[in-house]
Amino acid sequence: MKAVHVYQYGRPENLTLVDLPKPKIQPNELLVQNVVAAVNPYDCMVRSGAMWFMEGFRFPKILGCESAGIVKEVGKKVKQFKAGDQVIVCTGRRNAYAEYLAVTEGMVTGLPESVNFSEGASLPIAGSTAYDALHELGNIQSGQNILIYGASGSVGSFAVQLAKLAAAHVTGVCSTSNLSGVKALGADEVIDYTTTDFRTLNMKFDIIFDTPSVLKFGNVKHLLNRHGTYIATLPSPLTMFYQLISTKGGKKVKTVFAKPTIQKIDYLSTLVYEKKLKVILDKEYPIEQIAAAHQYSETKRAKGKIIVKF
Ligand SMILES: NC(=O)c1ccc[n+]([C@@H]2O[C@H](COP(=O)([O-])OP(=O)(O)OC[C@H]3O[C@@H](n4cnc5c(N)ncnc54)[C@H](OP(=O)(O)O)[C@@H]3O)[C@@H](O)[C@H]2O)c1
């Protein structure tokens, strides 16, 4: 089977396509033939070595957090799936860049009819990050004013739509070429950060979700309502400091760490099935071009999810 190995940390060219034997399943596992895997900025961070303190120095590694495909075999103890089922797989932090996966039932959920493989594989990480930020950390409420910074990216495009589904008033911030796309997602207001510094506007928000984690809390604090929350996607010493001192009430600082449970993925995929949530897909690459997919992700200009096909 095709798989992508990383033998040492470094540049995208370090991603090496290899031919491996298909994994053998245990009685509690399913064998899934991946049709697609999604690329996440986290994969690029691991590959570059930026996450060495979490990922260690054991090589080769197979990257990839999420995929979608077809069940080929099931172990004797598997209850909920059968060969032929179309599924979404959330592998956690690694292993999705492989044509076949041996996974337990807890890592898999059904792909609803009419939701395609690329849409399904896009949901676990970016969808859960947006959901967790708005619902679990931000406690979003109907009628609130929400600002989504980086509204055209994978996390941002889910966040705009989930905030609208929560009946909030949504302001999306993006660059010029993404204005119409963010408006089409349902944002009530769209601000072009290349021409307008939203920090100088007379606006107040209940949640500021900084999806690229480039704003600093100190620079946007004045835009939060009294009990408003600033949410970043990446931890930084400054964010952690504000997070610690902001626990006593008033304005809050939080950092989201995605927790993609099967329940959340099912909730999101049902929304896609019901046509209440759109998955914005950007580029698709054959797995042989995984290095190009990483290079594109690292431009930080993706307009939605990046997919690799097996
Ligand atoms: N903590 C977690 O569990 C978790 C989970 C998922 C993702 N993340 C992190 O969240 C971030 C976003 O992830 P993603 O998957 O949404 O990435 P992505 O799809 O690559 O995001 C690209 C988007 O970000 C916008 N952007 C990039 N730099 C910007 C800047 N300086 N100012 C404003 N907008 C900017 C771009 O919009 P324009 O082209 O319009 O500028 C582009 O649409 C990444 O850093 C990722 O590592 C964290």
Side-chain angles (χ1 to χ4, degrees):
M1 68 161 185
K2 293 177 198 172
V4 176
H5 269 172
V6 173
Y7 293 98
Q8 59 177 16
Y9 291 134
R11 297 162 57 81
E13 295 73 20
N14 287 13
L15 296 160
T16 308
L17 193 70
V18 292
D19 187 15
L20 298 178
K22 274 191 219 173
K24 289 198 171 42
I25 56 169
Q26 300 296 318
N28 64 338
E29 288 182 329
L30 309 81
L31 183 71
V32 176
Q33 182 175 17
N34 277 336
V35 175
V36 299
V39 173
N40 281 286
Y42 184 79
D43 307 340
C44 301
M45 289 162 74
V46 176
R47 190 218 68 236
S48 71
M51 304 306 294
W52 64 268
F53 53 92
M54 275 173 70
E55 300 291 339
F57 289 91
R58 287 180 72 172
F59 296 99
K61 294 184 193 303
I62 298 182
L63 308 179
C65 312
E66 52 192 359
S67 63
I70 301 166
V71 176
K72 289 289 162 183
E73 281 174 45
V74 294
K76 281 185 198 137
K77 292 187 183 165
V78 171
K79 301 262 185 300
Q80 298 172 58
F81 299 95
K82 59 180 186 322
D85 286 348
Q86 300 195 347
V87 292
I88 300 169
V89 186
C90 181
T91 58
R93 303 204 316 252
R94 280 189 234 143
N95 293 332
Y97 295 178
E99 200 178 356
Y100 287 86
L101 293 173
V103 285
T104 56
E105 284 182 284
M107 298 162 76
V108 178
T109 190
L111 184 71
E113 208 182 295
S114 84
V115 178
N116 68 40
F117 290 112
S118 299
E119 290 170 328
S122 300
L123 295 173
I125 302 299
S128 299
T129 306
Y131 181 92
D132 290 349
L134 296 174
H135 287 278
E136 297 191 356
L137 301 186
N139 189 24
I140 188 170
Q141 301 293 320
S142 145
Q144 285 188 329
N145 261 341
I146 312 295
L147 182 126
I148 311 291
Y149 200 77
S152 55
S154 303
V155 175
S157 59
F158 283 124
V160 168
Q161 297 178 82
L162 292 178
K164 281 313 298 172
L165 284 167
H169 186 274
V170 178
T171 301
V173 183
C174 59
S175 63
T176 316
S177 67
N178 291 319
L179 290 172
S180 58
V182 173
K183 192 80 189 158
L185 292 172
D188 300 287
E189 328 279 342
V190 187
I191 297 172
D192 181 348
Y193 70 76
T194 68
T195 57
T196 308
D197 183 350
F198 77 94
R199 293 169 301 184
T200 61
L201 301 177
N202 188 19
M203 301 167 103
K204 289 280 183 194
F205 298 97
D206 298 288
I207 300 174
I208 295 178
F209 184 22
D210 178 10
T211 74
S213 298
V214 290
L215 304 170
K216 290 191 173 63
F217 172 65
N219 292 336
V220 295
K221 193 178 166 188
H222 64 286
L223 297 173
L224 284 172
N225 283 326
R226 205 162 134 245
H227 295 288
T229 309
Y230 165 83
I231 304 170
T233 56
L234 297 175
S236 73
L238 199 58
T239 310
M240 298 313 253
F241 169 73
Y242 280 126
Q243 204 158 318
L244 281 173
I245 61 167
S246 77
T247 51
K248 292 193 181 116
K251 299 177 185 183
K252 300 259 186 307
V253 177
K254 298 188 178 177
T255 307
V256 62
F257 295 99
K259 290 190 268 339
T261 61
I262 292 301
Q263 288 76 9
K264 254 175 247 170
I265 300 166
D266 283 345
Y267 169 73
L268 295 165
S269 67
T270 303
L271 290 176
V272 179
Y273 169 75
E274 292 172 348
K275 308 224 176 296
K276 292 177 181 162
L277 181 69
K278 280 186 227 153
V279 180
I280 308 302
L281 297 170
D282 190 348
K283 296 191 185 202
E284 289 197 345
Y285 296 83
I287 191 68
E288 289 76 8
Q289 291 178 23
I290 183 70
H294 271 223
Q295 277 157 358
Y296 182 55
S297 178
E298 287 178 337
T299 65
K300 298 187 195 282
R301 297 279 81 82
K303 300 170 192 291
K305 290 298 296 185
I306 301 167
I307 297 293
V308 286
K309 288 183 139 180
F310 291 93

